[in-house]
Amino acid sequence: TALLEVRDLVKTYGEGEAETRVLKGLDLALEEGEFAALLGPSGSGKSTLLTILGTLMKPTSGQHHMLGEDLTAASDRDLTEFRNRHIGFVFQFHHLLPDFTALENVMFPTAVRQGRETGAARERARELLVRVGLEDRMEFLATELSGGQKQRVAIARALMNQPELVLADEPTGNLDRESASQVMELLGEINQNEQTTFLISTHDEKIAASCRRQINVSDGKVS
Ligand code: ADP
Ligand code: ADP
C-alpha cells in the first residue's frame, strides 16, 4: 500500500520576473517500507521536494496525501501534529546542540514538545543510541564526537517518535567515504528491522546505488 503520494506538484519561488518554477508537475508515490534514493544534480529541487513531503512547506499547487490523510487541505496546526507523529528528519549537517550530551540531543526535541522529560523518553533514547552503535558515547558531549558519530546521533533523534517516514537530505554529504557507507548501512538496517520508509536525497551515484530504488529528479519532475 502507498505510504504517500503526491500528484502534479508545482512549487515556484519568488514572483513576477524573479519567479522560479522548481517543481513542474511532479508525481511520486512511496510504498510502505521502501528504501529509496532521491537523485539529481544540485539545484534540481530535491530539498524543495523533501521540505514539501515533510510538511514544512506547502506546494504552490498539487495534491499531497500520506497515511490516508489529505495534507494539501490541512491547517498549519494539523500539519505540525502530523509531522511530529509520523515524520523524522536527518539533514546534511547534524544540527546537534553542542553543549549537550548525545543522550540529551536525542531526548530533548521530544521532551520539549511534551513539555516534560519522561523516563520513557529517556529509555527510548538510550535504546536508540545502542541501536546506532553509540552505547559507549551516550554521555559524551556532541563536540566530543566524530562526524560519523554525530550523524548517528541525528539518526537516533529522527527515530525518537517511531516515524513511518524518514526524510534524509544529503545525510552523507558532510562525511568521508567510510563514515558515509556506515551511515547508509545503518539506515538500511533500520529500514529492514522497523519497516520505516526512507527517502534519501543525494547527488552521489554510489550512495544512490546502495538504495533499493532510485528516483531521479530532473527538470522539476521525476523522470
Ligand atoms: P537541490 O536540493 O536539488 O539542490 P533545491 O530544492 O535546494 O535543490 O533548489 C532548487 C532551486 O530552487 C534552486 O534553483 C534554488 O536556487 C531555488 N530555491 C530553493 N529555495 C529557494 C528559496 N527559498 N527562494 C528562492 N529560490 C529557492
Ligand atoms: P573521525 O576519524 O571519525 O573523524 P575523530 O578523530 O574525530 O574521528 O574522533 C575519534 C574518537 O575520539 C571518537 O570516538 C570520538 O568520540 C573521540 N573524540 C573526538 N573528539 C573528542 C574530544 N574532544 N573529547 C573526547 N573524545 C573525543
Side-chain angles (χ1 to χ4, degrees):
T1 44
L3 172 71
L4 74 84
E5 186 165 16
V6 289
R7 281 204 163 273
D8 207 14
L9 214 57
V10 173
K11 178 65 194 179
T12 60
Y13 293 111
E15 281 175 22
E17 294 205 353
E19 184 180 291
T20 330
R21 186 172 270 244
V22 176
L23 303 182
K24 305 176 183 175
L26 181 146
D27 299 320
L28 175 66
L30 282 183
E31 303 295 313
E32 279 172 21
E34 280 205 83
F35 192 65
L38 187 64
L39 193 60
S42 181
S44 59
K46 301 184 297 296
S47 296
T48 298
L49 178 59
L50 289 181
T51 309
I52 292 170
L53 294 180
T55 76
L56 293 162
M57 178 171 73
K58 287 209 177 189
T60 305
S61 64
Q63 287 113 52
H64 182 190
H65 288 86
M66 182 171 158
L67 291 165
E69 291 199 36
D70 181 356
L71 299 177
T72 331
S75 67
D76 287 349
R77 194 192 163 126
D78 288 347
L79 286 181
T80 302
E81 193 187 329
F82 185 90
R83 187 186 317 127
N84 290 341
R85 276 172 186 259
H86 302 299
I87 305 175
F89 296 91
V90 179
F91 303 99
Q92 177 172 0
F93 301 100
H94 48 78
H95 299 297
L96 300 186
L97 302 166
D99 297 330
F100 291 90
T101 65
L103 185 65
E104 289 167 337
N105 268 287
V106 175
M107 204 166 57
F108 275 179
T110 301
V112 166
R113 272 201 297 277
Q114 294 178 342
R116 68 206 169 103
E117 186 194 310
T118 63
R122 180 173 283 266
E123 202 38 51
R124 167 93 181 139
R126 285 183 166 280
E127 281 169 23
L128 285 168
L129 283 166
V130 171
R131 174 140 359 136
V132 301
L134 293 177
E135 56 271 48
D136 58 348
R137 290 288 184 276
M138 289 191 199
E139 304 298 340
F140 278 53
L141 297 180
T143 50
E144 295 170 335
L145 300 173
S146 74
Q149 290 170 340
K150 281 185 221 169
Q151 198 57 305
R152 284 189 272 154
V153 174
I155 291 164
R157 180 182 56 190
L159 297 172
M160 203 43 200
N161 294 332
Q162 297 178 272
E164 284 86 348
L165 174 66
V166 171
L167 300 170
D169 198 352
E170 298 272 2
T172 62
N174 203 32
L175 301 178
D176 59 61
R177 216 357 103 203
E178 194 186 329
S179 306
S181 55
Q182 285 169 359
V183 160
M184 289 305 293
E185 245 173 67
L186 175 64
L187 295 180
E189 277 168 31
I190 295 162
N191 166 258
Q192 294 271 313
N193 297 338
E194 315 248 328
Q195 282 299 296
T196 311
T197 302
F198 281 86
L199 183 60
I200 301 166
S201 85
T202 182
H203 59 264
D204 183 326
E205 306 265 353
K206 279 206 184 116
I207 295 286
S210 70
C211 296
R212 278 204 302 282
R213 175 182 173 194
Q214 290 75 34
I215 298 163
N216 286 285
V217 184
S218 68
D219 197 27
K221 291 185 183 183
V222 168
S223 56

